């Protein structure tokens, strides 16, 4: 063990020093007897005793137990055995059992000890404590896992934000729920509070519910006893609650969320018993019966319900089923954070969408209320059209008016107030009233606009506006047009396939006159027609105003229609298929005695954009009757019934604008009605005990019909069946 050239006295000193060094080193060490098969321990140092709790006697008596509890794999045992047999150094990671029962993970380095030539007499074992290294590795792994979870959370929130950007997507909330299910939870769904909880796929208040379409508060088969329960409204005015519910029922935790009394997620036992008709009862049954929910996913029937908060009230709930059993306690903190942020972001977007929708509907209602019905003018053919920008769903200040000032005098006005909001619509309403009043009093366009300038300046209307005011006066067998322009696009006069812009009598915007307004005049001949329009008809991002005016003139000069509605339809189909702003159009045509001889040249297509309100049903009936008369279609009465039912369904069950289109197919009339609800129409047997429910039966009796999805919802069509008798005959 020592150098043979060492002096004997020095050898003894060195052996003693080595012995002391081995005993004093901080590295746990032991000496094993190689002459015995089980390599018993014959010496340990103090560091070994401190590390394992075993002295020499304990190590000798327990070393078999220590090895047996080392958690070695069979392959590791084989490798150690081979190394000992071949007397070569070997290292192996072990988990040893200390004297106090705790575990020591270490790296054992075994080396054979030879005195001279021949087999090893002993094995020396040095233990390297890995506890600190493993703790460091575990800490690093934990940090990496935390970072991974944070990245995953940020990625999920970013995906949620991306999905919420398209508020018109009817499946946005369903997509978010599916994303949460793939990444975090066993199952998820959103339920919005629209006069009662409903399963929601999209953001808008009118988006149809998923599943069976039931909502909290709807009647359920077999639950007749609930009708006797006394139901009132909560403070939110949205969900029913029960007064005098039996005390044996637990608190309605879902209602507490909806009422804002709790702002933290709650646990809902899907197999629990709740007060009949309560929010918790409805939600537990609905989630349990949802076809997308598989209770075996988690092995647990406890859902976690998160509030979806708006600015002033809770708009709904997000319901999830954790992947692991344990309900709320099983939701990891990082998952909890993602779910809460998702619910808050959804709530903010839903609230903004609802707020915008309310403002839009208010402005649209105000604007529609001030637009006149289709005017009936003796001696003139008049057609009017208005549609807001369908892509941006904005309401602007475009407006028109047709006035029967006297039996032989008709006033026509078209204008545009700057802006797309309630203020623009209100300014339009004020301006329309002022122009109407002065036109009935003064009649001549120039002086009327001068008075309007004076009054508008005093009224301090906050928005700029332009308009064209004109009067048509019957003169012998024709009509005389007088007009004045206030910062608006010129009226187009078309005569014998030649389009002329009426550019005279121009002036600044309303309120900026100051120096008087002129009046220009032109005599109209039979067959002439005038086109009044706002800039939405001609303006596009890819072309200038001059090019738009030239395009309008080119289309108008080549129309083949011989009635105002047909002319307007050709203009819209060629120029306004994809408008970038609101569109208002008025077409006035002086009838020509030759019209009846050439009526077959008129295109057989008409369209109307109607507000989602009951008054549109009457307007649609009137439109289809007039069209059948113009096209000499005999089934006008049947068409009136069919269009009445289709538009009524769109108004009652749809949302957004209602589009009505009529086509003469050559063998009958085709009616198309489009609204924003993608849910299909359903023919029922009526509603026992109350009026209604027979609309589609009437349509089936009189027409062939069907439906298809459209970009903005659904389109229902009906082809009037020739010779069909109306119901009751």
């Amino acid at each position: 063990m020592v150098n043979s050239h060492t002096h004997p006295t020095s050898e003894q000193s060195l052996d003693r020093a080595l012995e002391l060094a081995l005993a004093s080193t901080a590295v746990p060490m032991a000496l094993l007897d190689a002459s015995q098969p089980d390599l018993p321990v014959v010496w340990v140092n103090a560091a070994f005793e401190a590390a394992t709790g075993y002295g020499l006697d304990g190590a000798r008596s327990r070393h078999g137990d220590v090895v047996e509890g080392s958690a070695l794999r069979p392959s590791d045992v084989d490798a150690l055995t081979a190394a000992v047999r071949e007397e070569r150094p070997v290292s192996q990671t072990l988990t040893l059992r200390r004297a106090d029962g705790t575990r020591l993970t270490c790296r054992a380095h075994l080396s054979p000890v030879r005195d001279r030539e021949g087999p090893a007499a002993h094995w020396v074992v040095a233990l390297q404590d890995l506890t600190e290294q493993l703790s460091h590795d575990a800490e690093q792994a934990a940090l990496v896992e935390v970072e991974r979870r944070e990245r995953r959370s940020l990625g999920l929130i970013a995906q949620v934000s991306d999905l919420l950007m398209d508020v018109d997507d009817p499946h946005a909330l369903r997509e978010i729920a599916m994303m949460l299910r793939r990444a975090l939870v066993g199952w998820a769904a959103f339920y919005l509070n629209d006069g009662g909880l409903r399963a929601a796929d999209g953001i808008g208040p009118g988006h149809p519910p998923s599943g069976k379409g039931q909502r909290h508060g709807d009647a359920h088969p077999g639950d007749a006893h609930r009708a006797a329960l006394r139901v009132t409204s909560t403070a939110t005015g949205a969900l029913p609650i029960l007064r005098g519910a039996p005390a044996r029922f637990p608190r309605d935790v879902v209602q507490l969320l909806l009422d804002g009394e709790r702002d933290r997620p709650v646990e809902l036992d899907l197999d629990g018993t709740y007060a009949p008709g309560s929010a918790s009862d409805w939600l537990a049954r609905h989630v349990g019966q949802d076809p997308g929910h598989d209770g075996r996913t988690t092995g647990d029937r406890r859902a976690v319900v998160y509030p979806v908060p708006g600015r002033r009230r809770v708009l709904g709930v997000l319901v999830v089923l954790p992947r692991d059993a344990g309900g709320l306690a099983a939701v990891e903190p990082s998952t909890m954070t993602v779910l809460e942020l998702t619910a808050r972001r959804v709530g903010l977007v839903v609230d903004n969408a609802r707020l915008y929708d309310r403002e839009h509907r208010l402005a649209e209602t105000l604007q529609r209320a001030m637009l006149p019905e289709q005017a009936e003018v003796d001696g003139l053919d008049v057609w009017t059209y208005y549609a807001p920008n369908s892509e941006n769903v904005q309401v602007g200040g475009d407006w028109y008016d047709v006035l029967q000032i006297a039996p032989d005098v008709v006033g026509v006005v078209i204008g545009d107030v700057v802006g797309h909001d309630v203020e623009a619509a209100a300014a339009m309403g004020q301006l329309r009233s002022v122009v109407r009043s002065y036109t009935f009093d003064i009649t001549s366009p120039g002086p009327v606009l001068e008075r309007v300038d004076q009054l508008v300046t005093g009224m301090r209307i906050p928005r700029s506006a332009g308009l064209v005011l004109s009067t048509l006066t019957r003169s012998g067998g024709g009509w005389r047009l007088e007009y004045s322009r206030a910062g608006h696009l010129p009226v187009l006069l078309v005569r014998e396939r030649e389009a002329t812009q009426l550019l005279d009598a121009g002036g600044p915007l309303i309120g900026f006159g100051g120096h008087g307004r002129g009046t220009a005049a032109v005599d109209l001949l039979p067959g002439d027609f005038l086109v009044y329009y706002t800039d939405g008809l001609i303006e596009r991002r890819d072309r200038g105003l001059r090019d738009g005016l030239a395009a309008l003139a080119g289309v108008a000069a080549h129309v083949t229609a011989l009635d105002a509605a047909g002319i307007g339809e050709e203009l819209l189909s060629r120029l306004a298929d994809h408008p970038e702003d609101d569109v208002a159009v008025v077409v006035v045509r002086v009838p020509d005695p030759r019209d009846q001889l050439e009526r077959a040249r008129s295109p057989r297509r008409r369209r109307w954009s109607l507000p989602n309100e009951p008054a549109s049903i009457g307007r649609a009936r009137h439109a289809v009757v007039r069209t059948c008369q113009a096209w000499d279609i005999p089934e006008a009465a049947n068409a009136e019934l069919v269009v009445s039912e289709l538009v009524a369904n769109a108004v009652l069950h749809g949302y957004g604008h209602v589009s009505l289109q009529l086509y003469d197919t050559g063998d009958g009339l085709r009616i198309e009605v489009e609204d924003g609800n993608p849910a299909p129409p359903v023919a029922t047997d009526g509603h026992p005990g109350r009026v209604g429910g027979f609309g589609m039966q009437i349509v089936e009796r009189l027409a062939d019909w069907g439906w298809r999805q459209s970009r903005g919802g659904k389109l229902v069509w009906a082809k009037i069946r020739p010779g069909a008798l109306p119901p009751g005959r």
Side-chain angles (χ1 to χ4, degrees), residues 80-103:
L80 276 174
T81 303
V84 171
R85 183 174 59 250
E86 297 169 7
E87 294 188 356
R88 53 182 172 79
V90 65
S91 298
Q92 181 63 54
T93 300
L94 306 173
T95 301
L96 303 178
R97 186 171 61 229
R98 292 188 178 98
D100 61 2
T102 61
R103 297 286 179 172

Side-chain angles (χ1 to χ4, degrees), residues 107-123:
R107 185 77 171 170
H109 303 278
L110 286 80
S111 299
V113 179
R114 296 183 179 87
D115 187 11
R116 287 182 177 84
E117 295 297 330
H122 296 88
W123 284 82

Side-chain angles (χ1 to χ4, degrees), residues 596-618:
Q596 294 298 326
L597 300 178
E598 302 181 10
R599 184 170 295 278
R601 295 170 51 195
S602 177
R604 300 302 183 101
R605 174 183 174 184
R606 300 289 183 269
R607 76 174 77 176
W608 291 264
S609 179
L610 305 171
N612 195 306
E613 59 186 28
S616 294
I617 302 171

Side-chain angles (χ1 to χ4, degrees), residues 688-712:
R690 54 193 175 99
V691 177
F694 300 95
M696 296 311 295
Q697 290 190 25
I698 296 175
V699 174
E700 286 183 341
R701 174 79 176 272
L702 300 174
D704 300 317
W705 72 280
W707 75 284
R708 61 179 172 82
Q709 296 284 351
S710 65
R711 185 178 64 174

Side-chain angles (χ1 to χ4, degrees), residues 110-419:
L110 286 80
S111 299
V113 179
R114 296 183 179 87
D115 187 11
R116 287 182 177 84
E117 295 297 330
H122 296 88
W123 284 82
V124 63
V125 180
L127 302 181
Q128 179 186 354
D129 191 348
L130 299 180
T131 302
E132 183 177 347
Q133 178 181 339
L134 292 176
S135 298
H136 176 73
D137 291 345
E139 183 180 349
Q140 292 297 314
L143 290 175
V144 170
E145 178 63 19
V146 169
E147 182 178 357
R148 186 188 68 81
R149 289 183 179 181
E150 289 179 350
R151 288 179 178 273
R152 182 192 64 180
S153 299
L154 290 174
L156 289 174
I157 295 300
Q159 292 180 56
V160 169
S161 300
D162 291 342
L163 290 171
L164 290 174
M165 289 181 66
D166 186 3
V167 297
D168 293 324
D169 182 357
H171 306 297
L173 296 186
R174 183 201 300 177
E175 291 294 329
I176 293 174
M178 291 300 297
M179 182 193 69
L180 295 176
R181 181 173 180 175
R182 289 190 297 267
L184 295 177
V185 297
W187 182 86
F190 286 93
Y191 296 84
L192 294 183
N193 183 2
D194 295 324
L197 281 176
R198 65 173 178 86
D201 285 344
I203 294 171
H207 284 306
S210 60
K212 297 181 180 180
Q214 291 182 341
R215 70 175 68 218
H216 176 210
D218 288 349
H220 298 276
D223 291 342
H225 66 279
R226 297 182 184 176
L229 295 172
R230 183 180 176 187
V231 181
T232 68
S233 296
T234 66
T236 64
L239 286 165
I241 61 173
L242 296 163
R243 296 194 180 278
R248 60 186 175 87
F249 294 119
R251 298 189 70 184
D252 189 353
V253 292
V254 175
Q255 189 66 58
L256 294 177
L257 284 181
L258 295 171
D259 289 342
E261 296 184 24
R262 289 190 183 179
D263 58 359
R264 301 293 300 164
V266 299
E267 193 173 270
L268 180 68
D269 186 355
L270 301 183
D271 295 321
T273 301
Y274 304 96
S278 66
S280 294
D281 174 62
W282 183 91
L283 192 60
R285 287 188 296 102
H286 192 89
V287 171
Q289 297 171 0
D290 192 291
H293 162 239
D294 181 4
R296 295 171 299 176
T297 301
T298 64
D300 198 357
R301 295 280 295 172
R302 284 178 290 174
V304 181
V305 185
Y306 293 80
V308 176
R311 289 180 177 84
R312 297 183 179 180
R313 69 180 184 91
V314 176
L315 303 175
V317 292
L318 165 62
V319 182
V320 303
L321 291 170
R323 288 177 175 172
D324 300 321
L328 186 58
V331 183
E332 297 179 354
S334 60
T335 299
M336 180 79 73
T337 300
V338 172
L339 294 174
E340 288 182 341
L341 287 176
T342 297
R344 289 184 179 277
R345 292 204 174 195
V346 168
L348 180 62
V349 172
V350 170
D351 208 12
N352 286 339
R354 303 287 171 86
L355 180 63
Y356 178 79
D357 183 71
R358 287 193 296 270
E359 181 179 345
H360 171 74
R361 288 181 181 273
L362 173 61
E364 183 181 3
T365 300
L366 178 61
Q367 187 174 34
R368 288 284 186 181
M370 295 178 181
L371 293 176
E373 299 289 338
Q374 180 76 43
E376 296 288 346
V377 178
D378 183 27
L380 290 174
D381 186 9
V382 180
W383 177 84
T384 58
Y385 178 84
Y386 167 77
N389 180 8
S390 59
E391 291 187 3
N392 295 329
V393 197
Q394 293 179 323
V395 173
D398 289 17
W399 58 286
Y400 63 84
D401 208 351
V402 180
L403 314 172
Q404 189 76 57
I405 301 172
D408 293 328
V409 181
V410 178
V412 180
V413 189
I414 196 161
D416 186 2
V417 177
V418 175

Side-chain angles (χ1 to χ4, degrees), residues 360-656:
H360 171 74
R361 288 181 181 273
L362 173 61
E364 183 181 3
T365 300
L366 178 61
Q367 187 174 34
R368 288 284 186 181
M370 295 178 181
L371 293 176
E373 299 289 338
Q374 180 76 43
E376 296 288 346
V377 178
D378 183 27
L380 290 174
D381 186 9
V382 180
W383 177 84
T384 58
Y385 178 84
Y386 167 77
N389 180 8
S390 59
E391 291 187 3
N392 295 329
V393 197
Q394 293 179 323
V395 173
D398 289 17
W399 58 286
Y400 63 84
D401 208 351
V402 180
L403 314 172
Q404 189 76 57
I405 301 172
D408 293 328
V409 181
V410 178
V412 180
V413 189
I414 196 161
D416 186 2
V417 177
V418 175
H420 295 85
D421 51 24
V422 175
E423 188 175 63
M428 177 269 290
Q430 291 177 292
L431 190 57
R432 174 180 177 271
S433 298
V434 170
V435 173
R436 260 185 172 249
S437 299
Y438 285 145
T439 302
F440 276 100
D441 184 33
I442 303 174
T443 304
S444 183
V448 169
L449 294 188
E450 291 177 14
R451 294 286 300 275
V452 173
D453 281 331
Q454 298 172 7
L455 188 59
V456 166
T457 302
M459 292 173 62
R460 299 184 181 275
I461 292 180
R463 299 295 180 91
S464 300
L467 63 85
V468 174
L469 171 62
S470 66
T471 58
L472 292 97
T473 305
R474 198 190 306 267
S475 176
W479 293 81
R480 181 174 179 78
L481 171 71
E482 293 185 336
Y483 64 93
S484 184
R485 296 189 304 120
H488 196 77
L489 297 169
V491 177
L492 195 67
L493 168 62
V494 180
R495 173 180 295 167
E496 297 294 338
R497 295 184 176 273
E498 182 177 346
T500 304
Q501 297 178 14
L502 302 182
L503 299 171
D504 296 332
L509 295 171
I510 287 296
F512 298 93
H515 304 290
R517 300 277 187 178
T519 300
V522 61
D523 291 322
L524 303 180
L525 303 177
D528 291 353
F529 66 87
L530 303 167
V531 181
Y532 302 75
Y533 54 95
T534 56
D535 52 8
L537 182 65
I538 61 171
E539 279 191 343
R540 298 292 181 271
R541 295 185 183 92
D542 58 351
R543 72 183 181 197
L545 183 61
R546 290 180 179 274
D547 293 335
L549 290 170
L552 172 61
V555 172
H558 293 88
V559 296
T560 59
L562 298 178
D563 62 323
I567 294 168
E569 175 58 40
E570 285 200 48
L571 296 177
L572 292 177
S573 63
R574 297 283 297 278
L575 298 170
D577 273 350
H578 301 286
E580 297 173 3
D581 200 353
D582 301 342
V583 176
V585 182
V586 179
V587 176
V588 179
R589 185 176 185 275
V590 180
D592 189 330
R594 298 171 296 176
D595 290 349
Q596 294 298 326
L597 300 178
E598 302 181 10
R599 184 170 295 278
R601 295 170 51 195
S602 177
R604 300 302 183 101
R605 174 183 174 184
R606 300 289 183 269
R607 76 174 77 176
W608 291 264
S609 179
L610 305 171
N612 195 306
E613 59 186 28
S616 294
I617 302 171
R619 292 185 62 185
R621 293 170 65 122
H622 180 70
V624 77
V625 169
R626 289 191 60 197
T627 301
C628 288
Q629 292 173 349
W631 293 348
D632 295 326
I633 294 178
E635 289 86 9
N638 291 350
E640 184 179 8
L641 283 174
V642 170
V643 80
S644 178
E645 295 299 336
L646 296 184
V647 174
N649 281 339
V651 170
L652 294 175
H653 306 297
Y655 45 85

